[in-house]
Amino acid sequence: MTTARDVTLARLASAAYSDTGPPLPAGFTPLPANALAFTPGSGASFAEGIYHNRNAAALVATGPLNGVPTVVLAFRGSDDREDSINSLRDINADYPDFAPLISALDSYVAVTGIRNVAVTGHSLGGAMTQLYMSQHPNGATQYLAVTFGSPGALLDEANDPRIVDYVIASDPAVYLGEHRADTGAELRANPVLAGGAAFIAADTFPGLTVTDALASLPSLTRDYENRGITVLLPGLDGTVDPVSDFGELLRADPANHRVDLYTLRVAMEAAGTTGRNPAPLFDRDFYLARNPDVAAAGVDAQTHYEQFGWREGRDPDASFKTSFYLASNPDVAAAGVNPLEHYSTYGWREGRDPNPYFDPAFYLVSNPDVAAAGIDPLLHYEMWGWIEGRDPGPSFDTTRYLAANPDVLAAGIDPLGHYLQFGIEEGRIF
């Protein structure tokens, strides 16, 4: 079952992938070098929790996972040409560069008696996670891992229930990694297919060229292995239909490998286990806190909103304003339909605003990657956009609000949701 733990690790994997570190999820802080008693060797560095050694990079942070103090090691994913070449030819190639960091972290865990270590990463970072877990059996310290879009690593096949592998069903990079041998044989036997596959690989792997992809064909002789439990997530088309053969691989959309799509899909999957689906913008805890009569009645929060709440002007979460949406869209009000359901199904695609400060059309034009993914822009902003410094509309500046309100930044709270719920009444500025 997907939980908040997995969402937190998805965000940490994404932070490591971008190689920029903070902002981190609420409660997490970078582990400093002096805490590890770690002095990087020549050509390596470790600052603000971020380790670099040649082309290898990782983030080390501490914070609560499901309420338990945990050290998290998040490996960077493939984000440049060298990483992408290694991902195709020998995905284990970068792992030795992490040896100084791993040795220091192992010593830190042993000396401090840390009981819980979590490891994560997207794409190449997922492969590094697989290798790390193969060398760290449970003992006094319990290890767990969650990967996202991992193509696997050069490992013998084995079962490791401590690992959860999230896979967008139509992610071509995962299929290619786990079917390298058959794919390589087929491509080497058919130069025409090889050319088409090389263009897809160049679109999928950052910095990779068609020439790089073609030059990698001789190395595709052994499958990569993902140990652990696989959880399939829907792709851009909303289906959970995995790539099943080479023909489907050639037709697969490379955008299904993107780290931000994984983060969103995991968050939506977790929302389904906490009462937020089928309306992903419904926040059960928010609704019950704002409506103590509903909490006292012991009725299901989302059912109450769908049957009574929206008619009474109650809001389903901090950023969706029921009365504002109905007043701004008299056709929706006249139709007598649930405004949140209308917005989620039609409204954002039609450029209808869910609150006075969020402009879906502005957000999609400003963020073509979100538009290409076909994602509800408000949901994207709530889950990830504000962390990346994206603005919800022309009249709200995310970065300025967080800079002006360091308590909101420290709490790891969606700044627009905070402003709508508290900031306006408190006279906060941005």
Side-chain angles (χ1 to χ4, degrees):
M1 181 175 70
T2 304
T3 68
R5 178 203 73 179
D6 304 299
V7 178
T8 298
L9 290 175
R11 291 176 58 189
L12 287 163
S14 184
Y17 185 90
S18 64
D19 205 13
T20 57
L24 302 180
F28 278 84
T29 56
L31 191 65
N34 60 1
L36 282 178
F38 177 45
T39 302
S42 176
S45 64
F46 186 73
E48 297 297 323
I50 301 175
Y51 170 81
H52 285 101
N53 186 10
R54 298 197 298 182
N55 210 49
L59 167 69
V60 186
T62 59
L65 277 183
N66 288 352
V68 178
T70 304
V71 172
V72 176
L73 172 60
F75 291 102
R76 186 182 70 183
S78 46
D79 71 344
D80 62 18
R81 179 171 177 259
E82 182 178 338
D83 285 342
S84 295
I85 290 174
N86 287 345
S87 293
L88 281 180
R89 301 178 188 177
D90 178 4
I91 205 163
N92 293 18
D94 281 337
Y95 192 70
D97 292 334
F98 291 102
L101 174 66
I102 291 172
S103 177
L105 185 58
D106 287 347
S107 297
Y108 173 77
V109 168
V111 169
T112 59
I114 295 293
R115 308 289 292 184
N116 298 280
V117 174
V119 196
T120 190
H122 177 273
S123 58
L124 176 65
M128 300 300 99
T129 298
Q130 293 282 339
L131 293 167
Y132 179 94
M133 291 296 286
S134 73
Q135 299 176 356
H136 289 80
N138 282 356
T141 298
Q142 299 294 301
Y143 294 89
L144 67 89
V146 181
T147 73
F148 308 92
S150 171
L154 286 170
L155 288 167
D156 293 332
E157 184 176 353
N159 181 44
D160 191 340
R162 302 174 302 162
I163 304 173
V164 177
D165 300 309
Y166 281 96
V167 176
I168 287 179
S170 47
D171 183 339
V174 176
Y175 179 89
L176 177 58
E178 294 181 342
H179 298 82
R180 288 175 81 241
D182 289 344
T183 300
E186 190 159 1
L187 292 178
R188 287 190 293 271
N190 191 327
V192 175
L193 284 179
F199 277 98
I200 292 175
D203 280 342
T204 302
F205 294 94
L208 193 75
T209 68
V210 172
T211 301
D212 293 332
L214 291 172
S216 301
L217 289 179
S219 66
L220 303 181
T221 58
R222 179 183 171 189
D223 293 342
Y224 292 152
E225 172 68 19
N226 272 314
R227 297 174 176 178
I229 302 164
T230 299
V231 178
L232 291 180
L233 300 170
L236 290 171
D237 62 1
T239 66
V240 190
D241 297 326
V243 175
S244 59
D245 57 38
F246 183 74
E248 290 185 3
L249 173 64
L250 291 178
R251 295 190 296 272
D253 187 343
N256 283 302
H257 185 61
R258 289 207 325 265
V259 63
D260 60 329
L261 182 61
Y262 268 89
T263 305
L264 179 66
R265 291 297 194 227
V266 171
M268 294 178 70
E269 189 78 5
T273 68
T274 57
R276 290 184 56 151
N277 274 349
L281 290 171
F282 188 88
D283 187 331
R284 178 179 180 274
D285 293 338
F286 169 89
Y287 195 79
L288 293 177
R290 292 293 296 267
N291 301 289
D293 57 322
V294 179
V299 299
D300 179 76
Q302 188 167 321
T303 299
H304 182 275
Y305 178 79
E306 291 171 350
Q307 294 182 350
F308 310 105
W310 68 266
R311 294 180 173 88
E312 298 166 348
R314 307 192 194 216
D315 296 330
D317 87 342
S319 295
F320 187 89
K321 296 301 179 184
T322 296
S323 297
F324 172 85
Y325 193 80
L326 291 174
S328 302
N329 301 287
D331 57 326
V332 179
V337 298
N338 178 333
L340 178 61
E341 182 178 344
H342 182 275
Y343 170 80
S344 298
T345 305
Y346 308 107
W348 66 266
R349 293 179 174 88
E350 298 170 350
R352 305 192 190 219
D353 299 349
N355 65 60
Y357 297 93
F358 194 93
D359 184 333
F362 171 92
Y363 196 82
L364 293 175
V365 169
S366 302
N367 303 289
D369 56 324
V370 181
I375 298 169
D376 172 353
L378 179 59
L379 183 62
H380 183 275
Y381 179 81
E382 285 191 2
M383 294 296 187
W384 201 240
W386 68 268
I387 298 171
E388 300 170 333
R390 308 193 195 212
D391 292 330
S395 56
F396 187 91
D397 189 312
T398 294
T399 302
R400 287 182 59 188
Y401 189 79
L402 292 174
N405 300 283
D407 57 324
V408 179
L409 175 62
I413 300 171
D414 162 11
L416 178 59
H418 180 274
Y419 181 70
L420 292 167
Q421 188 176 0
F422 305 109
I424 293 174
E425 293 182 2
E426 295 171 355
R428 303 210 185 204
I429 59 172
F430 57 89

